[in-house]
Amino acid sequence: TGAGDLLPQGGIDISTGGRAALDEQLARLRQNTTDPGALLGTAKDLMEAAAKLILEEMSFPAREQWSFDELWHHARDRLGILPQHVAAGVPGEKCIKTILQSSWTIAQQVNVLRGLQGSGHGRTLPTGVTPEQALLVVREACSVTEFALASLDRQTGRH
């Protein structure tokens, strides 16, 4: 690796705190670093599993009929990481709200992109996403997921 590299090209790094189901999803991501469809499908699966886990651990079990968007909204609400949860008047308030909203946009777009280009829907056409783009999506999905899990750990006294 050269100076300035954060991770190797296929590097996928996230700490799940030993949560077995999420670790399985991460193993799938690490094994499929050249398959864009599998990467997109598994990134969405990881995020969905994390939202469900968060809700379970916050004693607010997910309803079976909830969509991905509903799962993530309720998880973020329970964690207090919705933009409207940022206290008024704190330095950087607008920036933090924008970043929290951007993390939601990432989650939402991972889900949409999985439906359009990822595995899991019996696609009849090959994916149009490059491996590099898919790895970018995975890294962003992991970042959002790790932030949510760190927030859960902080609230539950694990950290």
Side-chain angles (χ1 to χ4, degrees), residues 102-125:
S102 295
S103 73
W104 163 240
T105 300
I106 289 167
Q108 190 176 44
Q109 294 308 305
V110 167
N111 182 43
V112 171
L113 187 58
R114 182 271 187 160
L116 295 171
Q117 295 285 332
S119 63
H121 284 294
R123 295 178 41 75
T124 59
L125 297 173

Side-chain angles (χ1 to χ4, degrees), residues 14 46-47 50 54 68 72 76 79 81 99-108 110 137-151:
I14 181 175
L46 171 71
M47 296 190 82
I54 289 164
F68 179 90
W72 266 94
R76 293 179 312 131
L79 293 171
I81 58 173
I99 291 167
L100 288 174
Q101 183 59 43
S102 295
S103 73
W104 163 240
T105 300
I106 289 167
Q108 190 176 44
V110 167
V137 170
V138 165
R139 284 190 291 271
E140 294 300 318
C142 287
S143 175
V144 171
T145 300
E146 189 166 35
F147 169 67
L149 293 174
S151 298

Side-chain angles (χ1 to χ4, degrees), residues 11-31:
I12 297 167
D13 188 25
I14 181 175
S15 173
T16 68
R19 294 168 173 104
L22 299 182
D23 288 336
E24 284 180 10
Q25 297 292 348
L26 288 172
R28 284 186 194 100
L29 286 170
R30 290 181 182 115
Q31 292 168 1

